[in-house]
Amino acid sequence: MHGAAIEDYALIGDCETAALVSREGSIDWLCWPAFSSPACFAALLGTCDHGFWKIAPKEKAKAVRRQYREGTLIVETTFETARGAVCVTDFMPLRRRHSRLVRIVRGVRGSVRMRMDLSIRFDYGRTVPWVTSTGGELRAVAGSDMVVLQTKAPLEGEDHTTSSEFVVRAGETVPFTLTYCSSLEQTPEPISVVKALADVQSYWTRWGKQGMYRGEYTSAVERSLMTLKAMTYRPTGGIVAAVTTSLPEKIGGTRNWDYRYCWLRDTAFTLLVLLRAGYREEALAWRRWLLRAVAGTPGQVQTIYGISGERDLNEWEADWLPGYEGSRPVRIGNGAAGQFQLDVFGEVAAALARMPDAENDIRVSAAALQTALVNHLCEVWREPDQGIWETRGGPKHFTHSKVMAWVALDRAIKNHEQYDGSGDIKRWKKNREMIHRQVCAKGFDKKLNSFVQSYGSKQLDASCLRIGLVGFLPPDDPRVIGTVRAIEKRLMKDGFVERYDTKKTKDGLTGTEGAFLACSFWLVTSLWLIGRKADAKKMFERLLALRNDVGLLSEEYDPTAKRMVGNFPQALSHIALIHSAFAISGLWKPEPSAKTKGR
């Protein structure tokens, strides 16, 4: 048994980790106790031998329907069989001492024979635990890890798997609770699943009501915001890029990366959408995470950090896992953490400037940190880097990277002028002017009538769509309009925007990839800003139709195979979706373009 199609999964979580539940009722991915911990269910990247937990009718279902309970992260899957119907409710309570996963089987109609199969495999499917069972309680132990199953259903062990068969009739419920804890602890006391369900529903419903988006895309925005919240590590405020690792950008390919970490470049857009949507508390928590993560010598700022601000994200391969549909290697950790990526300075500066009136973290001054980062940027912006896409083909003078260096200076200058901060403003303005002149002279190709991927290049890059979004040039500038048109003409495939042409760009990687969904949403926003509103809405609604039945998006889409690819769900895809919805609804406009010489 392999995992299901990527789009067949729903997300549940407790804001510290998350699980993926398939339409067939199988949980094929769960890292415990945190997002970036080793998985104890890893069938998503292999087979049933690598860990899963399935609850479904024993006989084949005639129909399967599922949904999130309105305004929550509670998944309800209804199976229709020849003998009746049954609903499986899946959720993770907000943890107190322990992290739990609860599954409640409820009879809807008739009488249905159910089967449960539980295969716990610690260390990404490599370690088979020692299992003991007494009186409706199963304990699986390996090293310091222990997982405890508590249920009234009968349990049997066979071939390192625990199974159960039981009948559920209309009105009856059979609950299962799986709890993670240290093997040094006593077995946790059972919880009331009825109270846990009520508490979870109350929590998510209250959270969702804070949202301030008012427009025609409310359901899509609310689900995307809730997905971002579910990908937030509550103890620190960090937001992971995805809850998975190594879901391939092309089935069978090698572009498989670990996204269970926090990217600095996501901060500006994340803070923007959280604040616009009314979630100031989450924005403040993310900002505090950011201050702690980048604190230190500016020259040591990384692109990626762990959920608690960890810096060492050593990349290695889990060679015992065959990969999603045979897509190897399965990578753990991310080597891009050691790359020099100039654009992150712009993202960080923009993020810090978003909330200058917010209280500084008691350990780190936002104003002092911004000053240090921008002073360092004045020294390094002339150097080549690996760029937003973290290519491994050597450093270049990427146009987008230089634009974001300009953004860092521009936001720091505006912040100083508004709040009378500290800093060498004369030097900052001089460098801002120099970057602007250089980008316009070297990053724009007159024959293509477009900004290009890197200085002197003839290749286009979707990241150049952000030039009009960040205020480097006004959206009605002919060069912005020319770039949008060039990307539409040369960088779109089957109606989707590619990051860049992988066949013509030496990115140090083999194979190809799907269409990066965030780029298509950037085009939507760009089309709206340049006045092509009908085209923007048409494309936006086509992109919305790609979401799965519970409103989730992966990193990329394969228009040939017509399926999702890449890690799932992907924060940046949902961030870009929300951003486009705000723009189309008239709730967002880009930062005013600075009066810069040398345009």
Side-chain angles (χ1 to χ4, degrees), residues 404-417:
M404 293 312 298
W406 177 91
V407 168
L409 288 158
D410 182 68
R411 303 304 190 263
I413 291 165
K414 290 177 178 177
N415 202 24
H416 170 91
E417 291 174 341

Side-chain angles (χ1 to χ4, degrees), residues 308-382:
S308 296
E310 303 94 335
R311 293 169 177 254
D312 185 6
L313 307 179
N314 183 48
E315 185 177 304
W316 55 280
E317 297 178 6
D319 56 10
W320 61 89
L321 284 170
Y324 180 85
E325 294 190 15
S327 305
R328 292 191 181 201
V330 171
R331 293 184 172 93
I332 309 299
N334 200 306
Q339 290 186 349
F340 171 56
Q341 296 177 23
L342 184 64
D343 69 290
V344 301
F345 290 96
E347 306 291 3
V348 170
L352 293 177
R354 295 282 179 203
M355 305 174 69
D357 58 331
E359 182 182 353
N360 282 337
D361 185 280
I362 59 173
R363 300 172 186 85
V364 184
S365 164
L369 181 61
Q370 185 180 53
T371 297
L373 289 173
V374 173
N375 284 337
H376 176 70
L377 181 63
C378 290
E379 301 291 335
V380 301
W381 70 262
R382 297 171 182 81

Side-chain angles (χ1 to χ4, degrees), residues 47 55 64 76 105 135 148 183 269 274 337 376 425 467 488 536 571:
T47 70
I55 301 178
V64 180
E76 297 177 319
V105 183
V148 179
S183 61
F269 269 170
L274 287 173
H376 176 70
I425 296 300
I467 288 172
E488 276 187 293

Side-chain angles (χ1 to χ4, degrees), residues 41-59:
F41 298 144
L44 180 69
L45 299 177
T47 70
C48 57
D49 292 333
H50 299 108
F52 73 104
W53 186 17
K54 184 175 182 178
I55 301 178
K58 187 174 181 181
E59 65 176 290

Side-chain angles (χ1 to χ4, degrees), residues 56-60 81 83-84 86 105 110-116 154 164-169:
K58 187 174 181 181
E59 65 176 290
K60 185 175 177 61
T81 74
R83 297 176 181 273
V86 64
V105 183
S111 175
V112 181
R113 178 165 288 280
M114 301 294 291
R115 180 175 176 90
M116 183 217 74
S164 176
E165 288 194 14
F166 56 96
V167 175
V168 63
R169 299 172 179 83

Side-chain angles (χ1 to χ4, degrees), residues 120 129-134 137-141 146-149 187:
I120 299 168
W130 183 266
V131 175
T132 56
S133 180
T134 54
E137 185 172 273
L138 177 146
R139 293 177 296 280
V141 175
M146 179 165 72
V147 169
V148 179
L149 174 68
T187 303

Side-chain angles (χ1 to χ4, degrees), residues 433-445:
E433 300 286 347
M434 286 192 291
I435 295 172
H436 205 282
R437 283 197 298 268
Q438 188 185 91
V439 169
C440 292
K442 297 184 177 183
F444 186 82
D445 186 283

